Amino acid sequence: MSGQKSAREFTAQMSVREGRWRLYVVLMNTTERWPEHRFGRTVPTFTDRTDALSVLGFEPVPGAEWTWTEDSENPDDPASPVVLIAAIRVRSWSEVSA
């Protein structure tokens, strides 16, 4: 190997609560605060999400695609409101350029 450091990968997730969208990068096994960006009430476009990740210092892993999962606010109640969660694999720009 040439000694290049490979960038660690993380999962970025986006969800909506109280009508507002929030994008955050999940930093497991760390005490660091998870980087976060808040949007308004309109569903963020692909470009909005990519720009927000960039501001947070991340980029999608090449070939990664957004996936959407449906959940519920209260898993024990079949009439509970639906919660949509989007996710994509990302990497830190600082580690890519290191």
Side-chain angles (χ1 to χ4, degrees), residues 15-86:
S15 61
V16 65
R17 178 157 309 271
E18 297 176 359
R20 299 206 179 266
W21 289 91
R22 179 175 77 119
L23 173 69
Y24 49 93
V25 178
V26 180
L27 304 177
M28 299 300 282
N29 302 316
T30 180
T31 57
E32 292 180 52
R33 184 179 176 130
W34 292 2
E36 177 180 314
H37 180 85
R38 292 183 184 266
F39 298 97
R41 295 187 180 275
T42 305
V43 179
T45 66
F46 176 82
T47 302
D48 294 337
R49 290 177 261 156
T50 302
D51 290 348
L53 283 170
S54 178
V55 168
L56 296 176
F58 293 85
E59 66 182 1
V61 170
E65 295 181 1
W66 285 94
T67 59
W68 291 83
T69 303
E70 183 178 305
D71 201 357
S72 62
E73 286 188 11
N74 181 351
D76 296 328
D77 179 3
S80 177
V82 170
V83 177
L84 292 176
I85 302 169

